């Protein structure tokens, strides 16, 4: 299975810290401060925890969208190396979508909004708005350097690099155009966040229309979310062969809305299934996400045929491979493709009887039934055990909990972990 959009480091901020917060409240009061407080060793443990969970969940390839300020501070290089070492050692395919932000001229309504949501959490060590800001040329130079060092274009590659403007609002016109050119010139891909919440759609043009106007859209472009898009936006994605990542769990958890996926697939837009933020999902579990992806659109459209079980399975596999531009190599079991396989045990009461395997996978599994994962012909998860991580991190769970507690404390989030029983939200 292929996860075309996730944020690995968020994993230390999950477990009930961000409950009931909407996107910007969670983003600026929980997610960014947590990652800002993490050391290279914290990132290594977070990456190992992510890899252990992802492999147990049957993921062989994932696209990481790292936090945007992990490019400029002194520790960034150590953090990058720590992350990539963990993925390499665990044996799953990683695509590192190096993020950048080159626009300090964010619309005043958005700046005000961020000011309002951060003001209510005075104890939090908020990330300075300029911590991640760079000039367009400097960002391109840095990402070119990361690409030159870590992008392996060969078919058996387990490490590739994309370029990722953080989102439509924090990248300039030039930055978005340059990202598209970067991807074209180096035969890689580019990804950004688009139209996740109603708050972001604020201009004369929709996000997708704007991205079309600055020449960002195209077969090498992957847009995460596209929740608040209309039919015209979807036609633009179809006409330009722009890919979309559907992240149903974070959209549900943060109350962002329901992406019009059935309309996208009717227009033959390629839609992959992403896990997005481990602190807004709160799991890395594509089998479970398939169930949500198949069900929420049925309720939303009042149409029991809106998303079929087979389409949900395609979104987690072959459509994910199409999303990342590697359908010739990955995403289905065919002669000549890379040997990436996820074996699902079927001998469970809840999977019996089974008359249609796609339906059983989408609607009956819990996610723990995966017993073996093979990546590039190598067994990387065997009967629930990821040998590499088991060996290097014999106390992974205790160490992850300890580091999470320490990071949250350094970030000023203690009060969020000392929550009283809350039957009615006050947020
Ligand atoms: Fe995201």
């Amino acid at each position: 299975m292929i996860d075309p959009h996730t944020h690995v480091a968020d994993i230390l901020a999950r477990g009930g810290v961000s409950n009931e917060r909407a996107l910007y409240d969670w983003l600026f009061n929980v997610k960014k401060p947590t990652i800002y407080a993490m050391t290279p060793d914290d990132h290594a443990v977070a990456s190992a925890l992510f890899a252990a969970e992802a492999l147990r969940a049957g993921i062989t390839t994932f696209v990481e969208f790292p936090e945007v300020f992990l490019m400029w501070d002194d520790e960034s290089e150590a953090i990058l190396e720590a992350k990539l070492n963990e993925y390499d050692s665990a044996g799953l395919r990683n695509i590192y979508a190096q993020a950048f932000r080159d626009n300090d001229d964010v619309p005043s309504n958005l700046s005000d909004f961020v000011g309002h949501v951060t003001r209510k959490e005075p104890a939090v060590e908020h990330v300075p708005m300029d911590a991640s800001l760079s000039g367009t040329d400097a960002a391109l130079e840095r990402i070119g350097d990361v690409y030159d060092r870590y992008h392996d274009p060969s078919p058996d590659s387990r490490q590739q690099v994309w370029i990722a403007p953080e989102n439509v609002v924090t990248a300039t016109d030039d930055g978005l155009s340059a990202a598209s050119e970067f991807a074209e010139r180096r035969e890689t891909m580019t990804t950004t966040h688009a139209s996740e919440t109603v708050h972001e759609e604020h201009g004369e043009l929709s996000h997708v229309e704007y991205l079309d106007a600055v020449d960002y859209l195209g077969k090498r472009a992957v847009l995460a979310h596209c929740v608040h898009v209309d039919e015209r936006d979807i036609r633009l994605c179809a006409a330009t062969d722009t890919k979309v990542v559907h992240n149903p769990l974070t959209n549900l958890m943060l109350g962002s809305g329901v992406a019009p996926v059935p309309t996208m697939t009717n227009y033959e837009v390629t839609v992959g299934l992403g896990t997005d933020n481990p602190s807004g999902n709160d799991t890395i579990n594509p089998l479970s996400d398939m169930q949500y992806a198949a069900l929420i659109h049925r309720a939303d459209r009042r149409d029991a045929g809106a998303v079929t079980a087979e389409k949900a399975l395609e979104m987690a596999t072959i459509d994910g491979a199409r999303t990342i531009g590697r359908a010739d190599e990955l995403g289905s079991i065919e002669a000549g493709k890379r040997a990436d396989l996820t074996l699902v045990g079927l001998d469970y009461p809840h999977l019996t009887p089974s008359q249609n395997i796609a339906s059983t996978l989408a609607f009956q599994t819990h996610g723990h039934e995966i017993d073996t994962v093979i990546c590039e012909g190598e067994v990387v998860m065997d009967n629930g055990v990821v040998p590499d991580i088991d060996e290097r991190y014999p106390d992974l769970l205790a160490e992850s909990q300890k580091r999470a507690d320490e990071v949250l404390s350094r970030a000023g989030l203690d009060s969020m972990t000392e929550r009283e029983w809350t039957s009615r939200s006050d947020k």
Side-chain angles (χ1 to χ4, degrees), residues 331-387:
S332 60
I333 303 169
E334 291 177 59
K337 284 197 169 184
R338 316 311 302 174
D340 287 11
L341 299 163
T342 291
L343 302 168
V344 184
L346 294 175
D347 295 331
Y348 293 96
H350 62 284
L351 304 186
T352 307
S354 171
Q355 312 297 356
N356 174 300
I357 192 62
S359 180
T360 294
L361 289 173
F363 297 125
Q364 290 170 255
T365 57
H366 299 155
H368 63 76
E369 305 85 349
I370 292 163
D371 58 36
T372 307
V373 176
I374 297 166
C375 184
E376 194 59 30
E378 181 189 341
V379 175
V380 288
M381 194 281 278
D382 184 12
N383 202 21
V385 174
V386 180

Short mmCIF file of all heavy atoms in Angstrom, two decimals, residues 331-387:
data_model
loop_
_atom_site.label_atom_id
_atom_site.label_comp_id
_atom_site.label_asym_id
_atom_site.label_seq_id
_atom_site.Cartn_x
_atom_site.Cartn_y
_atom_site.Cartn_z
N GLY A 331 2.28 -0.58 -6.91
CA GLY A 331 0.83 -0.41 -6.75
C GLY A 331 -0.04 -1.57 -7.18
O GLY A 331 -1.25 -1.54 -6.92
N SER A 332 0.51 -2.56 -7.86
CA SER A 332 -0.28 -3.74 -8.21
C SER A 332 0.68 -4.91 -8.38
O SER A 332 1.89 -4.72 -8.53
CB SER A 332 -1.06 -3.52 -9.52
OG SER A 332 -0.18 -3.26 -10.59
N ILE A 333 0.13 -6.12 -8.31
CA ILE A 333 0.96 -7.32 -8.40
C ILE A 333 0.97 -7.78 -9.85
O ILE A 333 0.00 -8.36 -10.33
CB ILE A 333 0.42 -8.42 -7.46
CG1 ILE A 333 0.36 -7.89 -6.02
CG2 ILE A 333 1.30 -9.67 -7.53
CD1 ILE A 333 -0.40 -8.78 -5.06
N GLU A 334 2.06 -7.46 -10.54
CA GLU A 334 2.17 -7.79 -11.97
C GLU A 334 3.61 -8.15 -12.27
O GLU A 334 4.53 -7.61 -11.65
CB GLU A 334 1.78 -6.58 -12.83
CG GLU A 334 0.32 -6.21 -12.78
CD GLU A 334 0.04 -4.96 -13.61
OE1 GLU A 334 0.33 -4.97 -14.82
OE2 GLU A 334 -0.43 -3.97 -13.03
N ALA A 335 3.78 -9.02 -13.26
CA ALA A 335 5.13 -9.37 -13.70
C ALA A 335 5.85 -8.11 -14.14
O ALA A 335 5.29 -7.26 -14.84
CB ALA A 335 5.06 -10.35 -14.86
N GLY A 336 7.08 -7.97 -13.69
CA GLY A 336 7.90 -6.82 -14.10
C GLY A 336 7.87 -5.67 -13.11
O GLY A 336 8.71 -4.78 -13.18
N LYS A 337 6.90 -5.69 -12.18
CA LYS A 337 6.87 -4.62 -11.18
C LYS A 337 7.77 -4.97 -10.00
O LYS A 337 8.17 -6.11 -9.83
CB LYS A 337 5.43 -4.39 -10.70
CG LYS A 337 4.58 -3.62 -11.71
CD LYS A 337 3.34 -3.06 -11.06
CE LYS A 337 2.64 -2.09 -11.99
NZ LYS A 337 1.48 -1.44 -11.35
N ARG A 338 8.04 -3.99 -9.16
CA ARG A 338 8.86 -4.22 -7.98
C ARG A 338 8.09 -5.14 -7.02
O ARG A 338 6.85 -5.07 -6.93
CB ARG A 338 9.19 -2.91 -7.24
CG ARG A 338 9.61 -1.75 -8.11
CD ARG A 338 10.69 -2.08 -9.10
NE ARG A 338 11.92 -2.61 -8.54
CZ ARG A 338 12.93 -3.06 -9.25
NH1 ARG A 338 12.84 -3.07 -10.59
NH2 ARG A 338 14.01 -3.51 -8.67
N ALA A 339 8.83 -5.98 -6.29
CA ALA A 339 8.19 -6.95 -5.40
C ALA A 339 7.85 -6.31 -4.06
O ALA A 339 8.51 -6.53 -3.05
CB ALA A 339 9.10 -8.16 -5.21
N ASP A 340 6.82 -5.47 -4.07
CA ASP A 340 6.28 -4.90 -2.84
C ASP A 340 4.95 -5.59 -2.57
O ASP A 340 4.01 -5.46 -3.35
CB ASP A 340 6.04 -3.39 -3.00
CG ASP A 340 7.32 -2.57 -3.02
OD1 ASP A 340 8.41 -3.18 -3.13
OD2 ASP A 340 7.22 -1.34 -2.93
N LEU A 341 4.86 -6.31 -1.47
CA LEU A 341 3.66 -7.12 -1.21
C LEU A 341 3.25 -6.99 0.26
O LEU A 341 4.10 -6.95 1.16
CB LEU A 341 3.95 -8.60 -1.49
CG LEU A 341 4.34 -8.96 -2.93
CD1 LEU A 341 4.97 -10.33 -2.97
CD2 LEU A 341 3.12 -8.92 -3.83
N THR A 342 1.96 -6.93 0.49
CA THR A 342 1.41 -6.94 1.83
C THR A 342 0.51 -8.16 1.95
O THR A 342 -0.44 -8.29 1.17
CB THR A 342 0.61 -5.64 2.11
OG1 THR A 342 1.54 -4.55 2.17
CG2 THR A 342 -0.14 -5.72 3.40
N LEU A 343 0.80 -9.03 2.89
CA LEU A 343 0.03 -10.26 3.06
C LEU A 343 -0.94 -10.09 4.23
O LEU A 343 -0.52 -9.73 5.34
CB LEU A 343 0.97 -11.44 3.33
CG LEU A 343 2.02 -11.67 2.22
CD1 LEU A 343 3.09 -12.64 2.69
CD2 LEU A 343 1.36 -12.19 0.97
N VAL A 344 -2.21 -10.33 3.95
CA VAL A 344 -3.25 -10.15 4.96
C VAL A 344 -3.80 -11.51 5.36
O VAL A 344 -4.29 -12.25 4.51
CB VAL A 344 -4.40 -9.27 4.40
CG1 VAL A 344 -5.43 -9.00 5.50
CG2 VAL A 344 -3.86 -7.97 3.84
N GLY A 345 -3.71 -11.84 6.64
CA GLY A 345 -4.31 -13.08 7.13
C GLY A 345 -5.83 -12.97 7.11
O GLY A 345 -6.39 -11.95 7.47
N LEU A 346 -6.48 -14.04 6.66
CA LEU A 346 -7.94 -13.99 6.55
C LEU A 346 -8.63 -14.90 7.57
O LEU A 346 -9.86 -14.94 7.62
CB LEU A 346 -8.38 -14.38 5.13
CG LEU A 346 -7.95 -13.40 4.03
CD1 LEU A 346 -8.32 -13.93 2.66
CD2 LEU A 346 -8.58 -12.03 4.24
N ASP A 347 -7.84 -15.63 8.36
CA ASP A 347 -8.43 -16.61 9.28
C ASP A 347 -8.82 -15.96 10.61
O ASP A 347 -8.22 -16.23 11.65
CB ASP A 347 -7.45 -17.77 9.51
CG ASP A 347 -7.22 -18.56 8.23
OD1 ASP A 347 -8.14 -18.59 7.38
OD2 ASP A 347 -6.14 -19.13 8.07
N TYR A 348 -9.81 -15.10 10.53
CA TYR A 348 -10.33 -14.45 11.73
C TYR A 348 -11.85 -14.52 11.71
O TYR A 348 -12.46 -14.48 10.62
CB TYR A 348 -9.92 -12.96 11.76
CG TYR A 348 -8.44 -12.72 11.93
CD1 TYR A 348 -7.63 -12.49 10.81
CD2 TYR A 348 -7.86 -12.69 13.19
CE1 TYR A 348 -6.27 -12.26 10.96
CE2 TYR A 348 -6.49 -12.44 13.34
CZ TYR A 348 -5.71 -12.23 12.21
OH TYR A 348 -4.37 -11.99 12.36
N PRO A 349 -12.47 -14.60 12.85
CA PRO A 349 -13.94 -14.60 12.87
C PRO A 349 -14.55 -13.41 12.13
O PRO A 349 -15.51 -13.56 11.38
CB PRO A 349 -14.27 -14.55 14.37
CG PRO A 349 -13.09 -15.16 15.04
CD PRO A 349 -11.90 -14.76 14.19
N HIS A 350 -13.95 -12.22 12.34
CA HIS A 350 -14.57 -11.03 11.73
C HIS A 350 -14.35 -10.95 10.22
O HIS A 350 -14.94 -10.10 9.56
CB HIS A 350 -14.06 -9.75 12.42
CG HIS A 350 -12.58 -9.51 12.30
ND1 HIS A 350 -11.65 -10.20 13.05
CD2 HIS A 350 -11.88 -8.65 11.53
CE1 HIS A 350 -10.44 -9.78 12.75
NE2 HIS A 350 -10.54 -8.85 11.82
N LEU A 351 -13.48 -11.80 9.68
CA LEU A 351 -13.28 -11.81 8.22
C LEU A 351 -13.98 -13.02 7.58
O LEU A 351 -13.74 -13.32 6.41
CB LEU A 351 -11.78 -11.84 7.89
CG LEU A 351 -10.93 -10.71 8.46
CD1 LEU A 351 -9.50 -10.78 7.92
CD2 LEU A 351 -11.52 -9.33 8.15
N THR A 352 -14.82 -13.68 8.33
CA THR A 352 -15.48 -14.89 7.87
C THR A 352 -17.00 -14.74 8.02
O THR A 352 -17.44 -14.30 9.09
CB THR A 352 -15.01 -16.10 8.70
OG1 THR A 352 -13.58 -16.14 8.68
CG2 THR A 352 -15.56 -17.40 8.13
N PRO A 353 -17.81 -15.08 7.02
CA PRO A 353 -17.38 -15.50 5.69
C PRO A 353 -16.96 -14.31 4.83
O PRO A 353 -17.28 -13.17 5.14
CB PRO A 353 -18.64 -16.15 5.11
CG PRO A 353 -19.77 -15.54 5.86
CD PRO A 353 -19.26 -15.17 7.21
N SER A 354 -16.26 -14.62 3.78
CA SER A 354 -15.85 -13.61 2.80
C SER A 354 -16.23 -14.09 1.41
O SER A 354 -15.87 -15.20 1.03
CB SER A 354 -14.33 -13.40 2.88
OG SER A 354 -13.89 -12.58 1.81
N GLN A 355 -16.93 -13.27 0.65
CA GLN A 355 -17.34 -13.64 -0.71
C GLN A 355 -16.65 -12.75 -1.75
O GLN A 355 -16.69 -13.04 -2.94
CB GLN A 355 -18.86 -13.51 -0.89
CG GLN A 355 -19.69 -14.15 0.21
CD GLN A 355 -19.51 -15.67 0.30
OE1 GLN A 355 -18.80 -16.28 -0.50
NE2 GLN A 355 -20.12 -16.29 1.30
N ASN A 356 -16.08 -11.63 -1.29
CA ASN A 356 -15.48 -10.67 -2.22
C ASN A 356 -14.32 -10.01 -1.49
O ASN A 356 -14.52 -9.32 -0.48
CB ASN A 356 -16.54 -9.63 -2.63
CG ASN A 356 -15.96 -8.52 -3.47
OD1 ASN A 356 -15.06 -7.80 -3.03
ND2 ASN A 356 -16.45 -8.37 -4.68
N ILE A 357 -13.10 -10.24 -1.97
CA ILE A 357 -11.94 -9.83 -1.19
C ILE A 357 -11.84 -8.31 -1.04
O ILE A 357 -11.44 -7.81 0.02
CB ILE A 357 -10.63 -10.45 -1.78
CG1 ILE A 357 -9.46 -10.27 -0.81
CG2 ILE A 357 -10.30 -9.87 -3.14
CD1 ILE A 357 -9.63 -10.97 0.52
N ALA A 358 -12.24 -7.56 -2.07
CA ALA A 358 -12.17 -6.10 -1.95
C ALA A 358 -13.12 -5.61 -0.86
O ALA A 358 -12.78 -4.74 -0.04
CB ALA A 358 -12.50 -5.44 -3.29
N SER A 359 -14.30 -6.21 -0.83
CA SER A 359 -15.28 -5.82 0.18
C SER A 359 -14.80 -6.21 1.57
O SER A 359 -14.91 -5.42 2.52
CB SER A 359 -16.62 -6.49 -0.12
OG SER A 359 -17.57 -6.12 0.85
N THR A 360 -14.22 -7.40 1.69
CA THR A 360 -13.69 -7.84 3.00
C THR A 360 -12.58 -6.90 3.47
O THR A 360 -12.56 -6.47 4.63
CB THR A 360 -13.17 -9.29 2.90
OG1 THR A 360 -14.29 -10.14 2.65
CG2 THR A 360 -12.48 -9.72 4.18
N LEU A 361 -11.66 -6.54 2.57
CA LEU A 361 -10.56 -5.66 2.96
C LEU A 361 -11.08 -4.29 3.37
O LEU A 361 -10.62 -3.69 4.35
CB LEU A 361 -9.55 -5.52 1.82
CG LEU A 361 -8.70 -6.76 1.52
CD1 LEU A 361 -7.87 -6.54 0.26
CD2 LEU A 361 -7.80 -7.10 2.69
N ALA A 362 -12.06 -3.77 2.62
CA ALA A 362 -12.53 -2.41 2.89
C ALA A 362 -13.44 -2.35 4.12
O ALA A 362 -13.39 -1.36 4.86
CB ALA A 362 -13.27 -1.86 1.67
N PHE A 363 -14.26 -3.38 4.32
CA PHE A 363 -15.31 -3.22 5.33
C PHE A 363 -15.19 -4.13 6.54
O PHE A 363 -15.87 -3.91 7.53
CB PHE A 363 -16.68 -3.43 4.68
CG PHE A 363 -16.99 -2.40 3.63
CD1 PHE A 363 -17.32 -2.77 2.34
CD2 PHE A 363 -16.93 -1.05 3.93
CE1 PHE A 363 -17.59 -1.81 1.37
CE2 PHE A 363 -17.20 -0.09 2.98
CZ PHE A 363 -17.52 -0.47 1.69
N GLN A 364 -14.35 -5.18 6.48
CA GLN A 364 -14.31 -6.11 7.62
C GLN A 364 -13.00 -6.04 8.41
O GLN A 364 -12.96 -6.46 9.57
CB GLN A 364 -14.50 -7.55 7.13
CG GLN A 364 -15.93 -7.84 6.63
CD GLN A 364 -16.04 -9.19 5.93
OE1 GLN A 364 -16.12 -9.25 4.71
NE2 GLN A 364 -16.02 -10.26 6.70
N THR A 365 -11.93 -5.57 7.80
CA THR A 365 -10.65 -5.60 8.50
C THR A 365 -10.56 -4.50 9.57
O THR A 365 -11.26 -3.48 9.50
CB THR A 365 -9.48 -5.40 7.52
OG1 THR A 365 -9.68 -4.17 6.82
CG2 THR A 365 -9.37 -6.54 6.53
N HIS A 366 -9.67 -4.72 10.52
CA HIS A 366 -9.36 -3.69 11.53
C HIS A 366 -7.99 -3.07 11.29
O HIS A 366 -7.69 -2.01 11.81
CB HIS A 366 -9.37 -4.31 12.93
CG HIS A 366 -10.69 -4.89 13.33
ND1 HIS A 366 -10.84 -5.88 14.26
CD2 HIS A 366 -11.95 -4.62 12.89
CE1 HIS A 366 -12.10 -6.19 14.40
NE2 HIS A 366 -12.81 -5.44 13.58
N GLY A 367 -7.15 -3.78 10.53
CA GLY A 367 -5.81 -3.28 10.25
C GLY A 367 -4.70 -4.14 10.84
O GLY A 367 -3.58 -4.12 10.36
N HIS A 368 -5.03 -4.93 11.88
CA HIS A 368 -3.99 -5.73 12.54
C HIS A 368 -3.81 -7.09 11.87
O HIS A 368 -2.97 -7.88 12.29
CB HIS A 368 -4.35 -5.93 14.01
CG HIS A 368 -5.61 -6.71 14.22
ND1 HIS A 368 -5.70 -8.06 14.07
CD2 HIS A 368 -6.86 -6.29 14.54
CE1 HIS A 368 -6.93 -8.46 14.31
NE2 HIS A 368 -7.66 -7.39 14.58
N GLU A 369 -4.60 -7.37 10.81
CA GLU A 369 -4.56 -8.70 10.20
C GLU A 369 -3.37 -8.86 9.26
O GLU A 369 -3.13 -9.97 8.75
CB GLU A 369 -5.85 -8.95 9.42
CG GLU A 369 -7.13 -8.79 10.24
CD GLU A 369 -7.62 -7.35 10.29
OE1 GLU A 369 -6.87 -6.43 9.88
OE2 GLU A 369 -8.75 -7.14 10.75
N ILE A 370 -2.61 -7.79 9.03
CA ILE A 370 -1.46 -7.87 8.12
C ILE A 370 -0.34 -8.62 8.83
O ILE A 370 0.06 -8.24 9.93
CB ILE A 370 -1.02 -6.46 7.71
CG1 ILE A 370 -2.12 -5.85 6.83
CG2 ILE A 370 0.32 -6.48 6.99
CD1 ILE A 370 -2.03 -4.38 6.67
N ASP A 371 0.13 -9.72 8.22
CA ASP A 371 1.16 -10.48 8.92
C ASP A 371 2.54 -10.40 8.29
O ASP A 371 3.53 -10.69 8.95
CB ASP A 371 0.74 -11.94 9.17
CG ASP A 371 0.40 -12.68 7.90
OD1 ASP A 371 1.06 -12.45 6.86
OD2 ASP A 371 -0.53 -13.51 7.95
N THR A 372 2.62 -10.05 7.01
CA THR A 372 3.93 -9.97 6.37
C THR A 372 3.96 -8.81 5.38
O THR A 372 2.98 -8.59 4.66
CB THR A 372 4.23 -11.28 5.59
OG1 THR A 372 4.07 -12.39 6.47
CG2 THR A 372 5.64 -11.28 5.02
N VAL A 373 5.06 -8.08 5.36
CA VAL A 373 5.25 -7.02 4.37
C VAL A 373 6.60 -7.21 3.70
O VAL A 373 7.62 -7.41 4.37
CB VAL A 373 5.15 -5.61 5.02
CG1 VAL A 373 5.45 -4.53 3.99
CG2 VAL A 373 3.77 -5.40 5.61
N ILE A 374 6.56 -7.16 2.37
CA ILE A 374 7.77 -7.34 1.56
C ILE A 374 7.98 -6.06 0.76
O ILE A 374 7.05 -5.56 0.12
CB ILE A 374 7.60 -8.55 0.61
CG1 ILE A 374 7.43 -9.84 1.43
CG2 ILE A 374 8.79 -8.66 -0.35
CD1 ILE A 374 6.92 -11.01 0.62
N CYS A 375 9.17 -5.50 0.85
CA CYS A 375 9.50 -4.31 0.06
C CYS A 375 10.75 -4.60 -0.76
O CYS A 375 11.77 -5.02 -0.20
CB CYS A 375 9.72 -3.11 0.98
SG CYS A 375 10.01 -1.58 0.08
N GLU A 376 10.65 -4.41 -2.08
CA GLU A 376 11.76 -4.67 -2.97
C GLU A 376 12.30 -6.10 -2.77
O GLU A 376 13.50 -6.35 -2.75
CB GLU A 376 12.87 -3.62 -2.75
CG GLU A 376 13.94 -3.56 -3.81
CD GLU A 376 13.43 -3.23 -5.22
OE1 GLU A 376 12.41 -2.53 -5.36
OE2 GLU A 376 14.06 -3.68 -6.19
N GLY A 377 11.36 -7.05 -2.61
CA GLY A 377 11.72 -8.45 -2.48
C GLY A 377 12.25 -8.87 -1.13
O GLY A 377 12.59 -10.04 -0.92
N GLU A 378 12.29 -7.94 -0.19
CA GLU A 378 12.86 -8.24 1.13
C GLU A 378 11.76 -8.21 2.19
O GLU A 378 10.95 -7.27 2.20
CB GLU A 378 13.92 -7.17 1.45
CG GLU A 378 14.62 -7.33 2.76
CD GLU A 378 15.48 -6.11 3.10
OE1 GLU A 378 15.82 -5.34 2.17
OE2 GLU A 378 15.80 -5.95 4.27
N VAL A 379 11.72 -9.22 3.04
CA VAL A 379 10.72 -9.23 4.12
C VAL A 379 11.13 -8.17 5.15
O VAL A 379 12.17 -8.29 5.79
CB VAL A 379 10.63 -10.62 4.78
CG1 VAL A 379 9.68 -10.57 5.98
CG2 VAL A 379 10.14 -11.66 3.77
N VAL A 380 10.30 -7.15 5.30
CA VAL A 380 10.63 -6.05 6.23
C VAL A 380 9.70 -6.05 7.44
O VAL A 380 9.94 -5.31 8.40
CB VAL A 380 10.60 -4.68 5.51
CG1 VAL A 380 11.80 -4.56 4.57
CG2 VAL A 380 9.31 -4.47 4.73
N MET A 381 8.64 -6.83 7.38
CA MET A 381 7.78 -7.01 8.55
C MET A 381 7.31 -8.46 8.53
O MET A 381 6.77 -8.92 7.52
CB MET A 381 6.59 -6.05 8.53
CG MET A 381 5.84 -5.94 9.85
SD MET A 381 4.70 -7.27 10.20
CE MET A 381 3.26 -6.75 9.27
N ASP A 382 7.54 -9.17 9.63
CA ASP A 382 7.25 -10.60 9.66
C ASP A 382 6.45 -10.92 10.91
O ASP A 382 6.95 -10.76 12.02
CB ASP A 382 8.58 -11.38 9.64
CG ASP A 382 8.36 -12.87 9.57
OD1 ASP A 382 7.23 -13.31 9.31
OD2 ASP A 382 9.35 -13.61 9.77
N ASN A 383 5.21 -11.32 10.71
CA ASN A 383 4.36 -11.70 11.83
C ASN A 383 4.29 -10.61 12.91
O ASN A 383 4.41 -10.89 14.10
CB ASN A 383 4.87 -13.03 12.42
CG ASN A 383 3.77 -13.75 13.19
OD1 ASN A 383 2.59 -13.49 12.98
ND2 ASN A 383 4.17 -14.62 14.10
N GLY A 384 4.13 -9.40 12.45
CA GLY A 384 3.99 -8.27 13.38
C GLY A 384 5.30 -7.69 13.87
O GLY A 384 5.30 -6.72 14.62
N VAL A 385 6.41 -8.28 13.45
CA VAL A 385 7.71 -7.80 13.93
C VAL A 385 8.47 -7.12 12.79
O VAL A 385 8.56 -7.66 11.69
CB VAL A 385 8.56 -8.98 14.48
CG1 VAL A 385 9.96 -8.51 14.85
CG2 VAL A 385 7.86 -9.60 15.68
N VAL A 386 8.98 -5.93 13.08
CA VAL A 386 9.87 -5.25 12.13
C VAL A 386 11.28 -5.48 12.67
O VAL A 386 11.69 -4.83 13.63
CB VAL A 386 9.54 -3.74 12.04
CG1 VAL A 386 10.48 -3.05 11.06
CG2 VAL A 386 8.09 -3.54 11.63
N PRO A 387 12.01 -6.46 12.10
CA PRO A 387 13.26 -6.91 12.73
C PRO A 387 14.25 -5.78 12.98
O PRO A 387 14.84 -5.70 14.07
CB PRO A 387 13.84 -7.93 11.73
CG PRO A 387 12.70 -8.29 10.83
CD PRO A 387 11.73 -7.16 10.85
#
